[in-house]
Amino acid sequence: METINETKTPKWKIALLVFESIVIFLYLFVTVFFVWYKVDKNGFIAACSKNPLVRSLINYTTKDDYEQNVQDTDYNKENINQNEGLNGNVETYRNIALFGIDSRGSEFDDSTHSDTIIIVSINNKTGEVKMASVYRDTMLKIVDKDGDVSYTKANAAFFKGGPECAINMLNTNLDLNITDYAVVNFTGLTKIIDALGGIDVTLTDDEMNYVNGYLTETRLITGLDAPDLTHSGQVHLSGLQATAYCRIRYVTFYDEDGQKYYYDMGRTARQRSVIKKVVEKAKDAGVGQVLQIADSILHYNTADEKIITTSLSLDEVMDLIPTLLKFTLSENTGFPFTCDTPTINGASMVVAQGLEYNVSKLHKFLFGEDNYQPSETVQTISDYLINYTGIPTVKLDEDIEPETDGGEVDTDNMTQGDNSEE
């Protein structure tokens, strides 16, 4: 009987087949990955931020550096107060306080004033983000870390008790629910803008001169360098030049719509404009640039020299990534909306023409709440300020009810004050 010999496939051919299969699989995987990444870069990053394996890897490689160099681990949310009986839909929003300081070294908790105070409000449902600057000279109620009460400039809260005192000041006077914050100094802002390749702005001749003037001091504070500007008009600013630009408050600022802002209103409007440009560039940046910024923050920050710090943990930052990737930065404004600028005890103050009224307008702007009724705490502070300063409530044009006799409404006194400087 004829024997049939079975031919076996050589082992080297099996190995080659397996190798080819792996190569084909990897090729397909990489192809799909890059197509997905190109089409939906933000979706890919958001998915990674939610992936337990990726988060574990990030925590393993980064958490210690983050907690040591960036996170304020001494910050205690249990010390943060909120007014009783908060009304409206404030809980729908994640509100974070952004403070800008001009300190050098590690003076992030005391011995410095927060000359920039911005409320960043994130709509958790839509991803829409709004910003409201609180003018630094706004007269508000401050309770310091020893429990002493004073009515003084808002920027003094940081000096009197660090971020906890400053957040409590915002929550108490404005009916907010802020629990988290971020602080950046001149060096931090410079580093972030440089990592994004700078920003483009339109400068007047006066603004150019003031940028060059502020550059002298800003170089000394940060230890960084940048050349003076040589022309106005369309100008590309480096990080240090942009930081100097943010400090201008003696020259009128014109926004993209041609709206004029004077003095400190102009300074805060410039700051919000710069933040908007930074956010737009960050959203369009590649992963490499984003990682460069993160690396700069993590490794430039030391125990002796801080450029940025925050109450947010690394896990909380990763939780925010999906929201931040889809967000749209929409409107921004300054607070108070109607104000006067008297000199009180030798200091120029910004006094809301009715704190209760202005808080109602703030809630309409941030949270879309019509006819918001401030808490009893805000009403009490508002009454005190009116009695102490003699400055009454003044409403915006759209809030003036027509007179019942058909006469014209007198709006001569409806201003934001003369905004004079000290």
Side-chain angles (χ1 to χ4, degrees):
M1 184 171 65
E2 185 178 358
T3 303
I4 299 176
N5 294 324
E6 296 182 357
T7 58
K8 295 184 178 181
T9 305
K11 292 184 178 180
W12 66 269
K13 286 189 176 182
I14 297 176
L16 180 61
L17 181 63
V18 172
F19 177 76
E20 288 176 344
S21 300
I22 292 174
V23 169
I24 293 172
F25 171 78
L26 289 176
Y27 174 78
L28 291 173
F29 174 80
V30 171
T31 301
V32 172
F33 168 83
F34 278 106
V35 169
W36 180 25
Y37 177 80
K38 186 175 181 180
V39 173
D40 188 16
K41 175 177 65 176
N42 288 347
F44 173 75
I45 298 174
C48 286
S49 72
K50 297 177 181 178
N51 185 281
L53 183 60
V54 173
R55 290 176 71 114
S56 297
L57 179 62
I58 293 175
N59 273 304
Y60 178 76
T61 59
T62 307
K63 187 174 182 179
D64 289 344
D65 282 342
Y66 182 86
E67 290 182 348
Q68 181 178 353
N69 298 333
V70 179
Q71 186 181 356
D72 180 3
T73 54
D74 294 328
Y75 176 76
N76 188 353
K77 292 185 181 181
E78 293 184 359
N79 294 332
I80 299 303
N81 302 320
Q82 295 179 19
N83 293 338
E84 293 185 4
L86 283 185
N87 301 311
N89 58 349
V90 66
E91 298 296 336
T92 305
Y93 297 77
R94 179 73 177 270
N95 300 302
I96 300 173
L98 176 61
F99 301 110
I101 59 177
D102 62 0
S103 72
R104 62 184 90 191
S106 58
E107 297 175 349
F108 268 59
D109 294 330
D110 51 28
S111 302
T112 186
H113 292 71
S114 55
D115 283 345
T116 298
I117 306 170
I118 298 178
I119 300 161
V120 179
S121 184
I122 306 169
N123 187 318
N124 295 323
K125 295 181 178 178
T126 66
E128 182 184 22
V129 177
K130 293 183 180 181
M131 293 187 297
S133 299
V134 177
Y135 303 130
R136 67 179 192 175
D137 292 341
T138 305
M139 188 176 187
L140 296 173
K141 179 181 180 180
I142 298 174
V143 181
D144 66 20
K145 54 188 175 184
D146 296 321
D148 295 328
V149 177
S150 60
Y151 286 81
T152 187
K153 297 183 179 183
N155 70 340
F158 205 95
F159 176 83
K160 289 176 175 290
E164 291 178 4
C165 181
I167 291 175
N168 281 333
M169 177 268 297
L170 294 173
N171 286 346
T172 299
N173 290 272
L174 307 180
D175 269 355
L176 295 175
N177 63 342
I178 299 171
T179 57
D180 289 301
Y181 79 93
V183 177
V184 64
N185 64 9
F186 289 165
T187 304
L189 181 60
T190 298
K191 290 285 185 180
I192 292 171
I193 294 175
D194 278 340
L196 289 169
I199 59 172
D200 297 317
V201 300
T202 303
L203 295 180
T204 65
D205 289 339
D206 287 338
E207 286 177 319
M208 179 197 71
N209 292 331
Y210 269 100
V211 167
N212 290 338
Y214 278 119
L215 272 173
T216 300
E217 183 186 17
T218 310
R219 291 186 187 106
L220 294 174
I221 292 175
T222 63
L224 304 173
D225 195 16
D228 284 352
L229 300 178
T230 58
H231 65 89
S232 56
Q234 291 292 326
V235 179
H236 184 77
L237 300 181
S238 68
L240 198 67
Q241 292 166 340
T243 299
Y245 173 70
C246 285
R247 302 182 65 189
I248 300 173
R249 59 177 174 140
Y250 298 105
V251 177
T252 302
F253 171 72
Y254 298 86
D255 67 13
E256 295 176 351
D257 299 324
Q259 178 71 36
K260 296 180 181 180
Y261 296 87
Y262 304 98
Y263 300 104
D264 198 41
M265 284 71 172
R267 187 178 67 91
T268 57
R270 280 188 188 88
Q271 292 167 354
R272 296 193 302 272
S273 174
V274 167
I275 291 174
K276 184 177 180 180
K277 292 177 183 296
V278 168
V279 167
E280 289 171 349
K281 293 204 71 173
K283 288 187 69 176
D284 294 334
V287 175
Q289 277 186 292
V290 174
L291 292 177
Q292 183 182 352
I293 295 173
D295 182 73
S296 176
I297 291 172
L298 280 173
H299 294 96
Y300 199 93
N301 258 15
T302 66
D304 297 325
E305 184 175 7
K306 296 283 188 183
I307 64 173
I308 188 171
T309 190
T310 180
S311 61
L312 293 168
S313 68
L314 185 58
D315 282 330
E316 288 175 318
V317 171
M318 287 190 284
D319 287 340
L320 275 175
I321 287 176
T323 300
L324 295 177
L325 288 173
K326 69 178 182 180
F327 84 99
T328 55
L329 188 57
S330 58
E331 300 173 275
N332 63 82
T333 191
F335 180 91
F337 299 89
T338 62
C339 58
D340 202 349
T341 55
T343 298
I344 299 175
N345 297 326
S348 177
M349 296 281 189
V350 173
V351 179
Q353 292 172 323
L355 180 66
E356 181 179 354
Y357 166 75
N358 277 276
V359 168
S360 179
K361 298 301 293 182
L362 180 66
H363 278 245
K364 180 177 181 180
F365 171 79
L366 290 177
F367 315 126
E369 298 170 350
D370 291 320
N371 302 315
Y372 175 77
Q373 297 298 315
S375 67
E376 184 177 343
T377 298
V378 170
Q379 294 175 32
T380 301
I381 297 172
S382 182
D383 291 342
Y384 175 88
L385 289 173
I386 291 174
N387 293 331
Y388 182 79
T389 66
I391 296 174
T393 297
V394 175
K395 298 184 177 182
L396 297 171
D397 289 341
E398 64 266 24
D399 296 321
I400 299 295
E401 294 291 338
E403 295 186 7
T404 55
D405 61 2
E408 293 185 359
V409 177
D410 180 9
T411 59
D412 290 343
N413 293 322
M414 295 176 55
T415 68
Q416 287 193 335
D418 59 12
N419 302 322
S420 57
E421 290 294 306
E422 294 180 340

